């Protein structure tokens, strides 16, 4: 049984867990926003009730509770209405911190794959989590540090933290388990960069007359070389004056532009959620040099009658590439410094977020410490007594089974 690259990709977690239609993606984000808003309102209500109860108890002790009417506003169980972020506001905020993550990766001189993986970790995390629950500023550095580990770019935690003022190793490592949970413990990110390099190596080989025709191509290597030399693009020199070196320069120029597009627009849009790596890099080529892209697709699928299966597949591929190319064009230049209008809007969103953050999730470092204490047995009554007994029983059963030479006894 021969597996194609497509078959292999379909077994990846990126395809199985992180590929969506645009409708499904929008639906997930609406559900995440709605759920987070409900949790925020409930958490704020609990915090208000706790403060009210504390003030009332203090007032009772001082004998002033009834006189001041403390707690009367909350007797009906209604607190002030909380204006939560909309889906669009969440996306603008996450997009801004994705850009910041890219800038920090460049500041640290990390490789392109580390930077690209960190951005995708952020986007994946905030697909099922909301900035109202976990602020992107808290998650960003943790996602970037995690990407250095998954992409085999070693840097110690202490060294990484030292690069950022007022940042401790605990600030970076505390949200890491939350991030891994949000990623569904799947760390593999398939990028389009390697496919881009392979595709341009093929194009350069065809220009040199060394390329191998695809199985569906009916043209010889020499004919393909003639065709790529004759490709028209804008106000280029006439075909008679164009040399093989001119064609190679055109290919290299397109490669450089497409690579920059993959480092920016492809990362900041939903391209990774909606398209495969091969579709993304081919769409980047379509944006920078459409005739070259069409030529490459023709070398793979060839020319076929309009009613043939190959022609149907080709039409579907081109429609998909056009759709992805439009998405990449929509975010062109997204890594530049935001203008005054964008900064004003981001400040407004951040100010709104300050009033609608989940108060129970503000200090991730303390939450992480509390979880560790609970995991170690719940010192000073941190865990419920029933939970402690249950865990103790589970440990005793596990130890008893481990001591048995031939394993646990078989049931009847």
């Amino acid at each position: 049984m021969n597996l194609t690259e497509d078959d292999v990709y379909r077994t990846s977690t990126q395809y199985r867990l992180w590929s969506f239609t645009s409708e499904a993606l929008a639906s997930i984000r609406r559900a995440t926003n709605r759920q987070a808003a409900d949790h925020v309102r409930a958490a704020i209500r609990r915090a208000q009730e706790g403060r009210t109860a504390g003030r009332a108890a203090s007032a009772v002790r001082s004998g002033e509770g009834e006189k001041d009417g403390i707690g009367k506003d909350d007797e009906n169980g209604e607190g002030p209405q909380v204006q939560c972020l909309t889906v669009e506001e969440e996306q603008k905020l996450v997009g801004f911190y994705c850009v910041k993550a890219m800038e920090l990766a460049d500041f640290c001189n990390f490789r392109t794959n580390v930077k690209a993986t960190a951005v995708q970790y952020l986007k994946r995390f905030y697909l099922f989590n909301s900035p109202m629950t976990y602020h992107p500023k808290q998650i960003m550095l943790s996602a970037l540090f995690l990407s250095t580990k998954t992409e085999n770019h070693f840097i110690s935690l202490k060294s990484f933290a030292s690069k950022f003022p007022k940042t401790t190793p605990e600030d970076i490592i505390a949200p890491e388990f939350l991030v891994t949970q949000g990623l569904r413990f799947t760390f593999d990110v398939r990028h389009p960069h390697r496919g881009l390099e392979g595709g341009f190596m093929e194009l350069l080989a065809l220009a040199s007359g060394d390329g191998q025709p695809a199985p569906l191509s009916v043209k010889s290597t020499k004919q393909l070389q003639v065709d790529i030399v004759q490709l028209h693009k804008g106000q280029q020199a006439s075909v008679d004056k164009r040399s093989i070196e001119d064609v190679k320069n055109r290919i290299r120029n397109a490669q450089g532009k497409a690579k920059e597009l993959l480092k920016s627009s492809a990362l900041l849009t939903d391209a990774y959620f909606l398209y495969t790596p091969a579709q993304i890099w081919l769409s980047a080529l379509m944006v920078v040099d459409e005739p070259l892209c069409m030529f490459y697709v023709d070398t793979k699928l060839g020319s076929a009658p309009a009613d043939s299966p190959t022609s149907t597949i080709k039409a579907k591929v081109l429609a998909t590439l056009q759709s992805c190319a439009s998405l990449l064009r929509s975010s062109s230049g997204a890594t530049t410094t935001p203008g005054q209008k964008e900064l004003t809007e981001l400040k407004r969103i951040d100010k709104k977020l300050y009033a609608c953050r989940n108060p129970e999730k503000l200090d991730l470092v303390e939450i992480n410490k509390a979880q560790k204490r609970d995991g170690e047995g719940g010192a000073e009554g941190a865990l419920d007594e029933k939970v402690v007994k249950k865990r103790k029983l589970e440990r005793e059963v596990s130890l008893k089974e481990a001591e048995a030479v031939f394993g646990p006894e078989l049931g009847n």
Side-chain angles (χ1 to χ4, degrees), residues 236-256:
Q236 286 190 343
S238 64
V239 174
D240 294 337
K241 297 180 180 180
R242 197 180 304 160
S243 66
I244 298 297
E245 194 58 36
D246 291 333
V247 176
K248 289 184 177 180
N249 288 335
R250 172 183 176 177
I251 294 172
R252 295 188 188 100
N253 183 52
Q255 180 183 12

Side-chain angles (χ1 to χ4, degrees), residues 67-118:
K67 182 177 65 176
D68 293 341
I70 293 176
K72 288 185 178 179
D73 291 341
D74 292 326
E75 284 180 354
N76 58 4
E78 294 182 1
Q81 289 295 317
V82 180
Q83 294 297 321
C84 294
L85 298 185
T86 64
V87 175
E88 292 73 21
E89 289 171 336
E90 287 183 328
Q91 288 306 296
K92 288 179 181 179
L93 195 64
V94 172
F96 172 75
Y97 280 98
C98 284
V99 173
K100 287 299 178 184
M102 295 168 66
E103 292 175 352
L104 291 178
D106 290 335
F107 170 75
C108 296
N109 295 317
F110 290 157
R111 298 193 302 261
T112 298
N113 59 324
V114 175
K115 174 171 66 175
T117 296

Side-chain angles (χ1 to χ4, degrees), residues 48-246:
Q48 290 173 338
E49 291 171 353
R51 289 194 297 269
T52 300
R55 289 197 301 268
S58 177
V60 168
R61 286 194 297 270
S62 63
E64 299 176 354
E66 292 299 325
K67 182 177 65 176
D68 293 341
I70 293 176
K72 288 185 178 179
D73 291 341
D74 292 326
E75 284 180 354
N76 58 4
E78 294 182 1
Q81 289 295 317
V82 180
Q83 294 297 321
C84 294
L85 298 185
T86 64
V87 175
E88 292 73 21
E89 289 171 336
E90 287 183 328
Q91 288 306 296
K92 288 179 181 179
L93 195 64
V94 172
F96 172 75
Y97 280 98
C98 284
V99 173
K100 287 299 178 184
M102 295 168 66
E103 292 175 352
L104 291 178
D106 290 335
F107 170 75
C108 296
N109 295 317
F110 290 157
R111 298 193 302 261
T112 298
N113 59 324
V114 175
K115 174 171 66 175
T117 296
V119 172
Q120 293 312 306
Y121 283 173
L122 271 177
K123 293 180 76 69
R124 289 180 180 184
F125 179 83
Y126 283 108
L127 188 57
F128 294 99
N129 292 277
S130 169
M132 292 184 287
T133 308
Y134 304 110
H135 198 292
K137 190 174 182 180
Q138 295 174 300
I139 302 298
M140 175 181 60
L141 288 177
S142 184
L144 182 57
F145 183 64
L146 180 61
S147 71
T148 65
K149 293 189 280 188
T150 58
E151 294 293 341
N152 296 316
H153 185 95
F154 176 75
I155 180 172
S156 69
L157 176 60
K158 184 177 180 180
S159 176
F160 181 77
S162 68
K163 295 179 179 292
F164 310 106
K166 300 180 181 179
T167 301
T168 65
E170 289 76 17
D171 294 330
I172 295 167
I173 208 68
E176 188 171 69
F177 186 68
L178 286 172
V179 174
T180 58
Q181 280 184 313
L183 298 177
R184 304 187 190 183
F185 302 98
T186 59
F187 308 113
D188 180 34
V189 180
R190 305 293 178 94
H191 297 292
H193 307 96
R194 186 175 297 178
L196 177 75
E197 297 300 324
F200 277 96
M201 287 175 64
E202 286 186 84
L203 287 170
L204 288 170
L206 289 171
S208 301
D210 300 325
Q212 295 297 320
L216 295 178
S217 177
V218 296
K219 296 183 178 181
S220 65
T221 300
K222 183 63 178 177
Q223 184 58 52
L224 289 173
Q225 184 186 30
V226 172
D227 289 347
I228 196 171
V229 171
Q230 293 178 343
L231 278 180
H232 179 72
K233 182 186 178 184
Q235 303 298 320
Q236 286 190 343
S238 64
V239 174
D240 294 337
K241 297 180 180 180
R242 197 180 304 160
S243 66
I244 298 297
E245 194 58 36
D246 291 333

Side-chain angles (χ1 to χ4, degrees), residues 19 21 26 29 74 93 129 142 160 221 254 263 276 285 291 321 350:
S19 293
T21 63
R29 284 173 173 154
D74 292 326
L93 195 64
N129 292 277
S142 184
F160 181 77
T221 300
K263 291 179 181 179
T276 68
L285 175 57
L321 296 184
D350 198 54

